[in-house]
Amino acid sequence: MPSGPSGPSSKAPPSAVPDDLLTTTRDDLRAWDVPRRLPLVPLRSTQVFPLGVAAVQVTSKANVAAMRALRRSQSLVVVVRADAGAPAPESFVGKIGVAATVLDRMNLADEAVQVTFQGRRRVRIASVATEGEWPVVEVVPVPALEESRPELDRRIGAVLRLAETLARLDSGVNAESVDNLRANVEDASHFADLVAQQLPFTLQQRDRIVAEPAAAARLDMLRDFLAAAVEHAEVQREVDRLTTLQLERGRREYLLRQQLEAIRAELGEEDTGREARELKARLDALPLPDTARAEAVREVERLGRLSLASPEYQVARTYVDWVLALPWGVEVEERRPDPAAVRAVLDLGHLALDEAKRRIVEYLAVRRLAPEARPPLLCFVGPPGVGKTSLGRAIADALGRPFGRMSLGGVDDEAVIRGHRRTYVAAMPGKIIQEIARARAMNPVLMIDEIDKLGADRPGHGSPSAALLEVLDPEQNSTFVDHYLNVPFDLSRVLFIATANAEPQIPEPLLDRMEVIEIPGYTPEEKVAIARKFLLPQLLPEHGLGEAEISMSDEDLSKLVLGYAREAGVRGLKRNLAALLRRVATHKAGGATGPWTLDAKLIEEVLSQPVYADEQAQTVPAVGIANGLAWTATGGDLLPVEAISMPGTGQFQVTGQLGSVMIESVQAALSWVRSRADDLGIPRRRFSTRDVHVHFPEGAIPKDGPSAGVTIALVLASLFTDQPVRSDVAMTGEITLTGRVLAIGGLREKLGAAVRSRIPTAIIPAANEPDLKDVPESIQRALKIHLVKTADEVLKLALLPKRRAEPAPAHGRAPVARAALTGRRRSR
């Protein structure tokens, strides 16, 4: 029995190796001379082949114990290859290992042993037992197979050819190793093992070679392994060749650029190449999308090749500057305020506008709960000067986002929105991209003012409304392409807010994508409060005056509002207050001392006569005269309607610069009165023997809309029945041919006009009852409001019994803005 490791726990130590095995030849090694029980040595990083020699540093505890326990050199062990970890010895049962002789061993520091193995032959592990600290296996021989020599020679030749090819392609394969292989072809099994040892195969590939007892099968494996290695080497050589060419090209370009820089330095030109490299470095630091990066890098490379004298140089440089100026990937962290905080921000800078504030608070509350949802586009619609832009700024403040603003009034070229192509001289990006660059963030609040004043499409200039549609549509704006940039730019994070003065003038495709929020005009009482709370504190420091130096009573403020600033907004009021303060500032600069009072005398002295005369309604009931109510862009207004009749042939005439809708309302009212002639006691012949003239005073002002229908019907009924109309009643409402009264818009402004005209009673459509919640309490308290459904109810409320009517006094009223008695939507 061969000798083996000994220890206190050893149960059956292996027998010693016979002395005649110490001197071996090849034939001796190939003969079956292996004991049945041998120590097992698993190796992780080395594979030992039959007849091969391998030096291994053993570090595992079991292997070290086994090696140190050997009594003398040339002891036999079974070597197997094991992957990382500590596999159980039982897992090696049935596997093929290599019986190897320990030729030499040397103990090392840190509990390691340097061992030299020489493989003898393949053996199969039949069983495993543990003796002491190391495993011992029982092995059986692996029988040699009878194989055809011609087939083996063919396989050997294929392996040699592939090995020679690999030696030419891979510098890591020594050609001398291939020559050694060629000198050992007489034994196919030994040749296969020698190839596996000499050439660079992986451990897993070598494991497969050891585990295969048939020489032909091993040669086939080696052929496949070498074919894959040759293919990999060919690819690697091609990659190396291309890399070398690239390096050579780069070296050549470097030398040429150095020469070019030297030439430019001699010519006194600026180093555009250095500038291009600096711009390239700045581009590399930006998180640009791939398409934008490719376009910008192309322009930078082009810039580096251009001379400063070239006209294309500035075009390319301007483009790169715009790309660098955009906030690619930069987003401001959005605050998510609670509804109470949002309302506090809105109240801080705006008085009244409760309905608009409520809608804004609801809108931002939804964003707080669903920040990733695509919000609808807000559109503030209201007269000028009511605070639409400042509301947008307040939304930006509440969200913590930057605020930008652009006006589209009169824009009739899509290039203003989409930008000009770079082929044009002085081309620039569109306004959208410019505002994004100014905001320095991808998620600003961007207000688009005057969207209702977009110019009409012009041939050759595109459609600005269609271009704006791409900007505002959440389904499209994530890939918005500005003609100047010519790359997609993401606008989906921008919060767009639009403003308009007249909703009917907004293009329908845009209006369909908007959530309209009405911003009504201010009542005189609200204007007085705004002047006291906001305007005066803002204007006093601007004019070098202190709060203690100026005083103004609410009565004088009300006179200023009613006489000089009756428009819906507060811009005129602010302008007039500034004029008064300039007069006071002049006195203070001249050495006078205050305090000063802004009273009625100073107002008349600075602003001259009131622009708006006091609206005093008809005081005496008269036939054919009634008080209508109109909505205008500057608020509500009183609109008297007059009619007279004279002997004639039944002709009917209407004057007062009326629009087509209002003329149709007159015709509808006349038809209704004629259809009710018997019920109203009107003789039929009166319609054919009398000429009628209906007039709307202040004929220089255009008027349109259907909401004067009930007023016209009342005037015609009064004229044909000779019944006077109450002078203390004002009314509004659209009339149908059957006498129904339909809803109208602008109710708040119209009732305000009735109060200013000192009319105590108002008649409105019953369908407008829900709109009364938007009318201030002060107006509702000053009026007795009647809700009517039919024109008959209007006649009962406004007509007086027949009597001799006194002539109507002349109306003296100052010009007002265009009257719009529209009934298209309740908001107007």
Side-chain angles (χ1 to χ4, degrees), residues 48 91 160 212 242 344 476 548 574 580 615 658 667 684:
V48 178
S91 63
L160 282 173
E212 178 54 55
L242 295 177
Q476 306 179 50
K574 182 178 180 180
L580 298 177
E615 293 188 12
L658 309 182
Q667 295 170 345
R684 292 285 181 179

Side-chain angles (χ1 to χ4, degrees), residues 602-796:
L602 181 63
I603 292 173
E604 188 170 343
E605 177 184 340
V606 175
L607 303 178
S608 188
Q609 292 297 320
V611 178
Y612 300 93
D614 190 15
E615 293 188 12
Q616 183 65 43
Q618 173 83 16
T619 57
V620 178
V623 173
I625 298 178
N627 297 313
L629 295 172
W631 178 92
T632 71
T634 59
D637 200 5
L638 190 68
L639 185 67
V641 180
E642 302 175 348
I644 61 172
S645 65
M646 61 209 79
T649 59
Q651 294 183 0
F652 191 83
Q653 184 178 6
V654 182
T655 56
Q657 199 174 164
L658 309 182
S660 60
V661 176
M662 201 164 188
I663 292 176
E664 291 174 358
S665 294
V666 175
Q667 295 170 345
L670 177 61
S671 297
W672 179 78
V673 171
R674 294 184 64 178
S675 69
R676 299 297 306 281
D678 295 339
D679 297 332
L680 296 176
I682 303 173
R684 292 285 181 179
R685 63 179 183 278
R686 181 165 295 185
F687 294 111
S688 58
T689 60
R690 307 287 294 180
D691 291 342
V692 176
H693 185 175
V694 178
H695 179 64
F696 294 79
E698 299 176 10
I701 302 173
K703 310 170 188 69
D704 202 2
S707 62
V710 294
T711 310
I712 300 169
L714 176 64
V715 167
L716 293 176
S718 169
L719 183 67
F720 287 119
T721 60
D722 292 326
Q723 292 180 256
V725 179
R726 290 175 53 184
S727 59
D728 60 347
V729 174
M731 64 206 70
T732 180
E734 180 181 355
I735 191 173
T736 68
L737 289 176
T738 59
R740 291 185 299 118
V741 179
L742 305 183
I744 48 83
L747 183 65
R748 169 191 168 111
E749 290 79 4
K750 292 176 180 179
L751 295 182
V755 173
R756 287 198 305 272
S757 302
R758 298 180 178 86
I759 295 178
T761 306
I763 300 175
I764 65 172
N768 282 104
E769 184 176 7
D771 297 329
L772 288 173
K773 63 182 177 61
D774 299 326
V775 179
E777 290 292 334
S778 59
I779 294 179
Q780 295 192 49
R781 287 194 302 268
L783 289 173
K784 182 178 182 181
I785 301 174
H786 295 278
L787 301 172
V788 297
K789 295 181 179 180
T790 64
D792 290 326
E793 297 177 57
V794 176
L795 300 186
K796 291 178 181 178

